[in-house]
Amino acid sequence: MRRRRAVVAAGFCASFLLGSVLNVLFAPGSEPPRPGQSPGPSAAPGPSRRGGRGELARQIRARYEEVQRYSRGGPGPGAGRPERRRLMDLAPGGPGLQRPRPPRARPLPDGAPGWPPAPGPGSPGPGPRLGCAALRNVSGAQYVGSGYTKAVYRVRLPGGAAVALKAVDFSGHDLGSCVREFGARRGCYRLAAHKLLKEMVLLERLRHPNVLQLYGYCYQDSEDIPDTLTTITELGAPVEMIQLLQTSWEDRFRICLSLGRLLHHLAHSPLGSVTLLDFRPRQFVLVDGELKVTDLDDARVEETPCSGSADCILEFPARNFTLPCSAQGWCEAMNEKRNLYNAYRFFFTYLLPHSAPPSLRPLLDSIVNATGELTWGVDETLAQLEKVLHLYRSGQYLQNSTAGSRAEYQRLPDSTVPQEDYRCWPSYHHGSCLLSVFNLAEAVDICESHAQCRAFVVTNQTTWTGRQLVFFKTGWSHVVPDPSKTTYVRASG
């Protein structure tokens, strides 16, 4: 399997070097037909089955119209009248970022629209948006994974930056099942590719520190499919829950706080309240310790219409909730509540309370219980998470938990103890006891609470909250000079 993935990755890079196509990239690029203009015949030959080309065209049009709505709806970045031009035409920087060949109109399945309008021209970060030119000399391509529709690769750009490339998976379930049903490979590719474009539009419209950054896109021809699209995004690490359970509470709390901030943004986004229909850890990545949503092709903005509360049942595997139906005929806050309960069952219940500072546990338990019962909305949930952050960062949580020192400790400046480690949980280092502290008094309390602790070494390293990292030791028989550390040893007696 590794050899197969390595071969695929090598071919992936080579195709850019030759100016040709990646076998896993997606999205045709013809302009939407002018009013009154016929879209043309089917894009690919083949037998039609179970509804034929008309049904395929209907599904493509539905996805096209969805992307149209997200492209121009709301007052957010990039809003306004949609541009009828290609994504690459929007990239600032002139001809160097254009497609290597002029765009060509492509015939579509009967009744299907052309390629939807692109996201707005604003770049999510500083500098020009990346295009095909940035991918001509990529290196170190690695297969990351694939889902129902897309495949993801990791590559390194000529300047050394690592990015993720997303493309329609030609051997994936989404494209394969469509081809089996309709027998139209190009039309089915377009149907799958609209999910990628929807994700591009949402990444652009929902820009936020906890939404993955969209860096750019590139059109290439691939096999028998013209104008396939690759998206270039920020690279993150997969969320592995088993590994997260072994990390420090401070890092786990950061993930929950990131999620709370993301859900607050989605509930009040420029497009309206956005819900993630596919809400699982695999839809998120970690970037420098921050949780970011990466998969948005199954996001939905529209609230659920209703004529009564019986139409507003929020169903989950373990339990259901009945929400009120508003006077305007919409289920009240259903999108927001769906996100919040999924955050509870996939993240909060596992990551928030365990090994937390004792004085913070009542507040953390309240957050877990309130989100599990949906008695709070995202606004109150985020307010309580921010309160926990304030108590923890300011050291106020120590006022009722930190007692006076029971032993004297001698300070040895510019020194460290390289060995004499022991393990504790949770620790920032698996082979030793490395914890964060607010101040020296907390370090003394921790050492006093560990039966094997006889010394500790304060480093000049800090965590994301500004707390210092400290090694706790079983003794100090071998002290060596180190200008970046200070050792404290328990006085005899």
Side-chain angles (χ1 to χ4, degrees), residues 144 150 152 164-166 195-196 198-200 202-203 210-214 231-239 262 266 276 278 280-287 290-299:
V144 175
K150 295 166 293 189
V152 182
L165 304 182
K166 283 189 179 183
K195 296 182 72 173
L196 181 63
K198 173 186 173 181
E199 182 172 275
M200 285 184 61
L202 290 177
L203 288 175
N210 298 112
V211 175
L212 201 72
Q213 289 190 65
L214 173 68
T231 62
I232 310 168
T233 70
E234 187 176 20
L235 181 68
V239 175
L262 170 65
L266 295 180
L276 305 178
D278 190 1
R280 292 174 293 170
R282 64 179 296 176
Q283 312 304 319
F284 299 85
V285 294
L286 291 173
V287 180
E290 286 281 335
L291 188 74
K292 300 195 178 193
V293 63
T294 178
D295 200 331
L296 290 172
D297 58 0
D298 288 316

Side-chain angles (χ1 to χ4, degrees), residues 220-451:
Q220 296 275 349
D221 289 346
S222 180
E223 295 182 343
D224 59 328
I225 307 236
D227 299 322
T228 61
L229 172 68
T230 306
T231 62
I232 310 168
T233 70
E234 187 176 20
L235 181 68
V239 175
E240 302 288 350
M241 293 302 294
I242 294 179
Q243 293 180 8
L244 290 181
L245 292 173
Q246 301 174 43
T247 61
S248 70
W249 175 83
E250 188 174 344
D251 285 348
R252 285 184 276 121
F253 172 71
R254 185 182 189 183
I255 292 171
C256 295
L257 179 64
S258 299
L259 185 55
R261 290 171 173 171
L262 170 65
L263 297 192
H264 182 270
H265 174 66
L266 295 180
H268 303 283
S269 84
L271 299 174
S273 182
V274 180
T275 191
L276 305 178
L277 296 178
D278 190 1
F279 194 118
R280 292 174 293 170
R282 64 179 296 176
Q283 312 304 319
F284 299 85
V285 294
L286 291 173
V287 180
D288 297 328
E290 286 281 335
L291 188 74
K292 300 195 178 193
V293 63
T294 178
D295 200 331
L296 290 172
D297 58 0
D298 288 316
R300 189 181 73 186
V301 174
E302 297 79 9
E303 291 281 11
T304 303
C306 60
S307 57
S309 59
D311 298 325
C312 300
I313 299 177
L314 198 53
E315 297 181 343
F316 295 98
R319 63 177 303 180
N320 299 334
F321 299 89
T322 301
L323 303 180
C325 178
S326 71
Q328 292 75 32
W330 301 99
C331 296
E332 289 187 5
M334 179 168 274
N335 285 353
E336 172 184 332
K337 298 283 188 175
R338 178 184 288 110
N339 287 343
L340 196 56
Y341 189 78
N342 278 325
Y344 156 79
R345 71 190 186 108
F346 286 115
F347 289 91
F348 293 168
T349 190
Y350 298 110
L351 303 182
L352 264 183
H354 307 296
S355 70
S359 61
L360 293 177
R361 286 176 192 166
L363 181 53
L364 295 170
D365 288 339
S366 297
I367 296 173
V368 173
N369 293 335
T371 53
E373 296 296 327
L374 290 185
T375 55
W376 290 351
V378 294
D379 292 354
E380 181 63 23
T381 301
L382 178 59
Q384 296 300 317
L385 287 169
E386 296 285 3
K387 180 180 178 180
V388 173
L389 175 62
H390 172 71
L391 294 174
Y392 188 67
R393 177 176 275 165
S394 66
Q396 292 183 34
Y397 76 100
L398 293 171
Q399 291 178 356
N400 296 325
S401 60
T402 302
S405 173
R406 293 186 299 272
E408 294 292 330
Y409 284 80
Q410 181 182 354
R411 182 175 181 268
L412 305 177
D414 300 327
S415 66
T416 187
V417 180
Q419 300 177 352
E420 300 183 73
D421 291 304
Y422 65 92
R423 293 182 180 181
C424 63
W425 185 87
S427 171
Y428 284 93
H429 191 279
H430 293 299
S432 59
C433 186
L434 178 62
L435 304 174
S436 72
V437 301
F438 174 72
N439 56 19
L440 187 61
E442 185 177 14
V444 170
D445 277 356
I446 292 175
C447 190
E448 291 290 300
S449 68
H450 294 180

